[in-house]
Amino acid sequence: MTTAAAPAPKYAVGSLVHARGREWVVLPDSTEDLLVLRPLGGADVDIAGVLPGLETVVPATFAPPTPGDLGDQHTAGLLRTALRIGFRAGAGPFRSLASIAVDPRPYQLVPLMMALRQDTVRLLIADDVGIGKTVEAGLIAAELLAQGDARGLVVLCSPALAEQWRAELRGKFGIDARLVLPATIGRLERETPYGHSVFRSDGAYVVSTDFIKSPRYREDFLNNCPDLVIVDEAHTCVADSTAQVSARTSQQRYGLLRALADVPDRHLLLVTATPHSGKEEPFRRLLGLLDARLATVGFESRAGRELLAQFFVQRRRADIREDFQDGAHFPSSRDTAEVSYTLHRDYRALLAEVLAYARETVRSADGALQQRQRWWSTLALLRTLSSSPAAAVRSLNTRAGVQEADNPDEVDRTGQVTVSDPADTDSAQSADEVPGSLLPTATSTTGETGPDDLNAEEKSRLVAMAEAAGKLAGPTRDTKLKKLVATVTDLLDSGYRPIVFCRYIATSDYVADHLKKVLNKRGTEHPVAVASVTGELSPDMRLHRIAELTGADEHGEPAPERRVLVATDCLSEGVNLQESFDAVIHYDLAWNPTRHEQREGRVDRFGQRTDTVKALTLYGADNPVDDIVLKVLLRKHERIRRAIGISVPVPQQAESAMQAVFEELILRSDTPSFEQEGLFEREQLPAAEQLELAWESSAEREKASRSLYAQNRIKKEDVATEVAEIRAALGTGEEVREFTRRALGALRGVPADRKQGGFTAHIDALPQGLRDAVTAALGPRHPRPVVFHDAPSAPRGEVALTRTDPVVAATARFVLDTALDEKFPAWQRPARRCGVIRTNAVGRPTTMLLVRHRFQLSLPSRDGEMRPQLAEEARVVAFQGRPEVPQWLTEEEALALLEARATGNSDSGFATDHIASILAALDTGLMDELRLHSESAATELEASHHRVRTAARARLAGLKAVPQGDPDVLGVFLYRPAATIQLGGDA
């Protein structure tokens, strides 16, 4: 006969229990039947579930220090800082800040404050390239998950950026997401029980947008999608209903997002640096995903602007520059310049021949379909020849994609995707293949026209052009390549590490091959590492090749400082390269200025350690194609950007204007533009003139509407006090630096200062546990010695001196663990829990206690329920006189004791007796006073949450902070006045 087990006692969140031979802290989500526990002083990876009905669980108390566990004058500071760095359940109103590995800038908290104002979070984050949209979206996700307002997370992005998103979520926000891609779906399905979805409502996923929109997986995803969705590069998911380019793909993506947004309680974060492509309809459709009213409301009215401000945030670099005055790495300027070259006579002759060929073939076309096919194929040949001889040869030996089109409109759609860089294209990821220019251009002897119907004359002409292009390869006749070599050399000699952006795979490989040879001639004193990354490589292989170029080798030797990355626009979006490169060369001119912004944004962004980044644009002074692109697009874009301080999207007239100008060059001019006085100096073409007027008008509207798009409803000053208090409670930058250096020094890491700031440390002599943690954080091939930077970011394989850096956190964890466990060897315990210190800083005996408070924090949720949360806080309290009649000091006076310098030693027996008397007093009056301190801290905590929620207009009803149990006394330190006469070991 069996009897039911007695109901397990309920333990409040934050209370201490003893189970499985150790002490634990009770966490949220615990029930009577299942306790969710974290080891006291442990990390989130140690969280466990315990069944009270099956295992013994009893209330516990924190063990006080041992009186003989004595340290020196640095012990208190090390112990306190280690404790604060180790907090992952901070008490402040931003619940996630203690558990994330990023130190957000003040402006990055504004989107978070906007999110806290909404019951269901719907935001479009459209900040400039490089100022941290990923961090802003990650902060919101981490906070919603920490507060329990979201259970799971999905990031929708391009497959090329999926691994980077997963690494960002894991490394910075502690969110372990699963990749859902064509390459991973088979494994995921095999790991999933039969009849279940690979998606769980409480899971975290990074998903390829194009993969999941397919009919096979779309419905399953929509039915099981978590309640928080982040959409990266959201502008690619909408298109003008009249658009000719990528319309079907964009419509499928939009349909997926529309279905996600139709679930009223789903949180949706849209992220893009280019929300407005110059066309109003796609922008409105994007906003309509957030709130249906935004699709039609007039933004000229105050009501419309106030509605938009609830859902839309967009800051430019100038708006947030002041947030980087504290030494954070963010370039102060971008040095842009044009670098010209003159075509070699053989190159000029071939270009003239191609122009003549283009003119003849287009003019002689039979019907509109053939004319459009020939137009795009010759334009492809002109563009590839302007790029490189290698691209031209490839084009002349590749069939034109427009050949398969059945009507002129389809030809134009295909041509715009493969030849131009229109704003409507969804991505640069797969646009670097060389467009073919080979078309059937003549009638065969049978009277039929077929794909192989090139007569002998046509074939001979094309073969001759291909042979002529091949002979141009190399810096002798390719003056563009020669100019690049000189430009790259100058940059390298000036200490820069450039990225060379090309339009085509063939050009990128051609340029990289020649740079390797020229820059590494025999006898070169400083060799240069060169690599090419193109769309031919999978996203993983692209990252791997970059890592080979920029990371340490298999022996741990650091990457060469003189390095050059040659790449196509497959790297112009999403992949962050600021840690390893600081200059951009536009080898090929993009036919869309936004592409240049995206390229430069790979290095000109937060985390860039070079104060002034460079962006250089190569162009042929006598190349008519470059002449058109520069004058019609790039220079006007740059002039407007400099005039109003922001980039204005290219108006939708740009494509037609470019077509009209190229038509003038190819069809109506018998004299190439490089033999004219100038293509536009004599007479501005009507289409180009219309484009300029439209662009100027857009610029004026953009300038006038900056107040419309800028987020002014929430000021970062509204939360500045709370952020400062949270940072202080978790450890200031100077404290973290001093702690890490001192701790590693005590643990035999032999830190040494660097001229550039920060220090280096050797890890080989560190204790085994800490050494393993450092290797796990940095990777087995990290450079040695390890470099520690006085900055909030650090290159791969190095350490940023912030509390959330994995190496700093591991050091703090080790110091705290060994302080609490006297079984470790003495040299592995740089922090101790007790000390008696003689100092000139006090005039009478003064006792300092390091205490840890735990609170159950009840937060009102969006659904009206109360959610219990665990909060922890470390404080220093001090009193003068005997512990039986203490005279308590202010918090400022107590903290000042941490800076006290020892002037003499105390006899260990004397010190042990005094510490023992203080600990004995904890059982009498001292603990009563510490409980009052806990009550006071709870009141302050509640007020802090109240201020932030008031600023965010969030719910307040039921907000409550309640101390849980007696505060833990981690350290006891007695400061005695310095002896005026030294008498043995004590006075």
Side-chain angles (χ1 to χ4, degrees):
M1 180 176 178
T2 61
T3 58
K10 293 183 64 175
Y11 294 98
V13 171
S15 59
L16 291 183
V17 297
H18 182 90
R20 299 179 181 177
R22 65 189 304 182
E23 279 67 48
W24 306 76
V25 180
V26 179
L27 299 181
D29 296 328
S30 294
T31 66
E32 288 192 7
D33 300 321
L34 174 66
L35 291 179
V36 181
L37 306 176
R38 189 190 68 207
L40 189 61
D44 287 347
V45 295
D46 303 317
I47 291 174
V50 174
L51 299 171
L54 300 177
E55 301 183 60
T56 301
V57 180
V58 296
T61 57
F62 186 75
T66 302
D69 188 25
L70 300 172
D72 60 21
Q73 70 270 23
H74 302 302
T75 295
L78 281 175
L79 183 60
R80 174 175 177 264
T81 306
L83 176 64
R84 297 195 299 164
I85 290 175
F87 278 151
R88 291 298 178 266
F94 298 109
R95 302 293 301 136
S96 61
L97 289 191
S99 61
I100 62 176
V102 62
D103 189 10
R105 315 308 297 173
Y107 74 88
Q108 291 175 323
L109 294 171
V110 170
L112 175 57
M113 291 292 291
M114 293 173 64
L116 294 177
R117 288 186 171 186
Q118 301 177 354
D119 288 338
T120 300
V121 178
R122 297 286 174 101
L123 287 179
L124 172 53
I125 303 174
D127 287 342
D128 250 352
V129 172
I131 65 176
K133 294 182 295 299
T134 301
V135 169
E136 291 168 350
L139 280 172
I140 295 172
E143 190 68 18
L144 291 177
L145 292 168
Q147 292 194 10
D149 288 319
R151 298 185 62 220
L153 167 67
V154 161
V155 175
L156 294 174
C157 63
S158 79
L161 303 181
E163 183 56 54
Q164 179 169 311
W165 262 103
R166 182 171 72 164
E168 292 275 307
L169 290 175
R170 178 189 294 162
K172 292 182 177 178
F173 302 101
I175 300 172
D176 194 9
R178 308 180 81 183
L179 287 179
V180 182
L181 305 168
T184 66
I185 189 64
R187 174 177 55 81
L188 294 175
E189 288 179 330
R190 289 192 297 272
E191 294 172 354
T192 303
Y194 179 76
H196 291 72
S197 171
V198 298
F199 297 100
R200 290 167 39 124
S201 60
D202 59 351
Y205 307 91
V206 177
V207 182
S208 164
T209 309
D210 283 337
F211 171 71
I212 211 65
K213 69 177 173 56
S214 65
R216 180 178 176 183
Y217 296 102
R218 185 179 186 273
E219 290 308 312
D220 176 56
F221 173 66
L222 291 175
N223 291 333
N224 297 281
C225 179
D227 53 359
L228 171 57
V229 177
I230 298 174
V231 183
D232 191 29
E233 303 296 344
H235 64 280
T236 66
C237 298
V238 294
D240 188 348
S241 58
T242 63
Q244 294 185 331
V245 182
S246 303
R248 183 171 180 270
T249 298
S250 293
Q251 290 299 337
Q252 288 177 333
R253 293 174 182 168
Y254 177 76
L256 178 69
L257 263 60
R258 182 71 270 171
L260 290 170
D262 285 343
V263 178
D265 58 352
R266 173 166 286 131
H267 307 297
L268 183 62
L269 302 177
L270 307 179
V271 179
T272 173
T274 53
H276 202 303
S277 65
K279 300 180 180 180
E280 186 70 9
E281 184 184 346
F283 180 55
R284 290 289 188 156
R285 298 182 79 192
L286 200 61
L287 292 175
L289 293 169
L290 307 175
D291 189 293
R293 295 169 294 174
L294 293 173
T296 56
V297 69
F299 296 145
E300 298 78 13
S301 67
R302 180 177 179 180
R305 290 194 297 272
E306 289 182 348
L307 178 64
L308 178 65
Q310 297 177 38
F311 300 94
F312 184 82
V313 57
Q314 183 178 48
R315 278 81 54 86
R316 306 299 187 180
R317 291 166 180 265
D319 301 329
I320 53 88
R321 182 71 63 184
E322 65 186 51
D323 281 345
F324 291 92
Q325 301 302 311
D326 59 355
H329 293 301
F330 194 81
S332 64
S333 63
R334 184 191 304 178
D335 184 5
T336 62
E338 294 178 354
V339 179
S340 66
Y341 61 91
T342 303
L343 294 171
H344 186 276
R345 62 179 179 274
D346 294 346
Y347 218 124
R348 188 185 301 114
L350 180 58
L351 190 55
E353 168 67 11
V354 169
L355 275 170
Y357 169 77
R359 190 171 300 117
E360 293 169 19
T361 56
V362 175
R363 284 175 174 173
S364 63
D366 183 14
L369 174 61
Q370 191 179 69
Q371 184 181 58
R372 298 311 296 166
Q373 289 174 330
R374 293 184 177 184
W375 164 262
W376 284 109
S377 66
T378 55
L379 196 58
L381 181 55
L382 277 171
R383 188 169 190 188
T384 55
L385 182 59
S386 296
S387 176
S388 71
V393 171
R394 179 71 61 86
S395 180
L396 284 163
N397 286 281
T398 305
R399 293 190 178 278
V402 294
Q403 176 183 329
E404 306 301 326
D406 295 327
N407 57 71
D409 287 342
E410 187 179 347
V411 171
D412 286 342
R413 285 195 294 270
T414 303
Q416 287 172 24
V417 171
T418 58
V419 180
S420 296
D421 301 326
D424 288 325
T425 50
D426 54 2
S427 172
Q429 301 295 336
S430 58
D432 52 3
E433 287 284 356
V434 170
S437 57
L438 197 58
L439 278 173
T441 58
T443 304
S444 70
T445 55
T446 63
E448 301 291 334
T449 300
D452 298 313
D453 293 326
L454 291 174
N455 61 30
E457 181 182 351
E458 289 286 345
K459 190 175 296 185
S460 175
R461 191 173 185 182
L462 291 171
V463 168
M465 285 193 289
E467 290 177 349
K471 293 177 181 178
L472 297 174
T476 301
R477 291 184 176 86
D478 187 355
T479 53
K480 179 182 181 182
L481 179 63
K482 182 178 180 180
K483 176 61 72 173
L484 175 69
V485 171
T487 303
V488 167
T489 301
D490 288 344
L491 287 172
L492 291 171
D493 290 344
S494 300
Y496 281 91
R497 297 158 299 174
I499 305 174
V500 180
F501 275 106
C502 306
R503 179 62 174 81
Y504 301 116
I505 295 172
T507 300
S508 181
D509 292 342
Y510 162 80
V511 166
D513 288 343
H514 280 281
L515 285 179
K516 288 177 186 177
K517 296 174 184 176
V518 175
L519 298 177
N520 294 291
K521 290 181 178 178
R522 183 174 299 177
T524 300
E525 184 177 357
H526 301 291
V528 180
V530 181
S532 174
V533 176
T534 69
E536 272 190 331
L537 302 175
S538 69
D540 286 345
M541 285 301 300
R542 296 172 203 170
L543 297 177
H544 179 70
R545 184 163 294 183
I546 293 171
E548 286 183 329
L549 179 65
T550 62
D553 63 19
E554 59 185 2
H555 303 296
E557 293 297 321
E561 279 300 310
R562 292 172 66 87
R563 55 180 177 263
V564 181
L565 174 62
V566 186
T568 63
D569 286 311
C570 70
L571 293 186
S572 69
E573 293 183 83
V575 180
N576 300 331
L577 302 167
Q578 73 275 16
E579 293 180 356
S580 304
F581 300 94
D582 47 18
V584 164
I585 300 174
H586 302 287
Y587 189 73
D588 290 332
L589 304 182
W591 289 10
N592 183 345
T594 301
R595 190 66 56 78
H596 279 226
E597 284 286 323
Q598 292 167 338
R599 293 171 175 178
E600 293 166 14
R602 296 310 97 212
V603 300
D604 187 6
R605 61 193 306 113
F606 178 51
Q608 175 59 257
R609 305 180 70 82
T610 302
D611 188 58
T612 300
V613 298
K614 288 202 177 267
L616 306 178
T617 301
L618 262 63
Y619 73 97
D622 51 357
N623 184 332
V625 178
D626 286 358
D627 193 41
I628 289 172
V629 176
L630 273 174
K631 290 183 175 179
V632 176
L633 292 178
L634 299 181
R635 286 176 179 162
K636 290 175 183 173
H637 178 268
E638 180 65 13
R639 176 172 55 81
I640 291 173
R641 187 185 70 83
R642 294 192 178 195
I644 67 175
I646 55 176
S647 297
V648 178
V650 182
Q652 61 189 79
Q653 296 96 324
E655 186 66 31
S656 59
M658 290 284 287
Q659 292 294 318
V661 176
F662 278 122
E663 184 178 335
E664 178 72 16
L665 170 68
I666 293 175
L667 298 183
R668 298 190 178 91
S669 175
D670 292 325
T671 306
S673 67
F674 52 79
E675 296 179 12
Q676 301 174 10
E677 292 297 322
L679 189 60
F680 301 112
E681 292 175 0
R682 297 177 302 159
E683 180 181 359
Q684 188 82 308
L685 294 173
E689 186 177 37
Q690 292 174 15
L691 172 62
E692 183 165 12
L693 291 173
W695 213 338
E696 294 286 356
S697 177
S698 294
E700 288 301 317
R701 288 197 304 272
E702 185 78 16
K703 186 176 181 180
S705 65
R706 288 194 68 183
S707 60
L708 168 70
Y709 292 157
Q711 178 49 250
N712 295 318
R713 301 184 72 215
I714 295 179
K715 307 290 186 183
K716 61 179 183 289
E717 292 80 8
D718 291 345
V719 294
T721 301
E722 314 305 331
V723 173
E725 289 182 358
I726 292 171
R727 285 178 172 166
L730 298 175
T732 65
E734 183 57 34
E735 285 179 300
V736 170
R737 182 191 188 282
E738 182 64 21
F739 163 82
T740 307
R741 198 184 196 289
R742 190 180 296 278
L744 291 175
L747 295 168
R748 303 178 180 176
V750 194
D753 288 333
R754 301 170 69 237
K755 292 181 180 179
Q756 310 95 311
F759 59 87
T760 61
H762 298 267
I763 72 163
D764 295 334
L766 295 177
Q768 180 71 43
L770 180 56
R771 185 167 69 247
D772 291 346
V774 172
T775 300
L778 299 181
R781 294 168 56 183
H782 65 81
R784 291 172 170 79
V786 176
V787 178
F788 290 74
H789 294 275
D790 284 327
S793 62
R796 190 169 42 246
E798 300 178 3
V799 180
L801 286 166
T802 63
R803 63 174 298 276
T804 52
D805 184 278
V807 173
V808 174
T811 304
R813 174 81 180 279
F814 184 86
V815 170
L816 183 59
D817 286 348
T818 56
L820 298 176
D821 189 346
E822 298 180 31
K823 296 177 183 177
F824 280 85
W827 75 271
Q828 295 187 15
R829 302 184 66 224
R832 302 295 177 89
R833 298 182 65 185
C834 301
V836 176
I837 303 160
R838 283 203 174 275
T839 176
N840 290 319
V842 298
R844 55 186 300 200
T846 303
T847 300
M848 182 183 74
L849 304 176
L850 175 59
V851 298
R852 172 173 54 196
H853 303 284
R854 287 187 307 279
F855 310 94
Q856 177 173 299
L857 184 63
S858 298
L859 298 177
S861 63
R862 288 172 166 79
D863 57 14
E865 296 182 358
M866 299 303 297
R867 290 203 176 97
Q869 301 281 333
L870 169 65
E872 295 176 306
E873 187 173 77
R875 293 207 174 189
V876 172
V877 296
F879 62 85
Q880 290 182 336
R882 293 185 299 112
E884 295 80 7
V885 284
Q887 298 178 11
W888 293 95
L889 304 182
T890 65
E891 183 177 5
E892 292 74 17
E893 291 170 329
L895 289 172
L897 293 173
L898 293 170
E899 307 299 325
R901 293 186 177 275
T903 58
N905 298 320
S906 292
D907 176 78
S908 60
F910 171 87
T912 299
D913 291 343
H914 274 69
I915 296 296
S917 67
I918 296 171
L919 291 173
L922 288 174
D923 295 329
T924 55
L926 280 184
M927 186 54 71
D928 291 337
E929 184 66 31
L930 294 181
R931 294 188 188 104
L932 293 177
H933 280 274
S934 284
E935 294 288 349
S936 176
T939 301
E940 294 176 18
L941 173 60
E942 201 172 299
S944 178
H945 279 266
H946 195 282
R947 286 192 297 270
V948 168
R949 284 180 167 258
T950 299
R953 299 177 185 171
R955 289 184 172 88
L956 295 170
L959 174 62
K960 189 72 174 174
V962 179
Q964 291 301 302
D966 290 339
D968 302 330
V969 178
L970 282 90
V972 178
F973 303 90
L974 175 62
Y975 294 81
R976 294 176 58 80
T980 54
I981 300 177
Q982 191 71 24
L983 297 175
D986 217 296

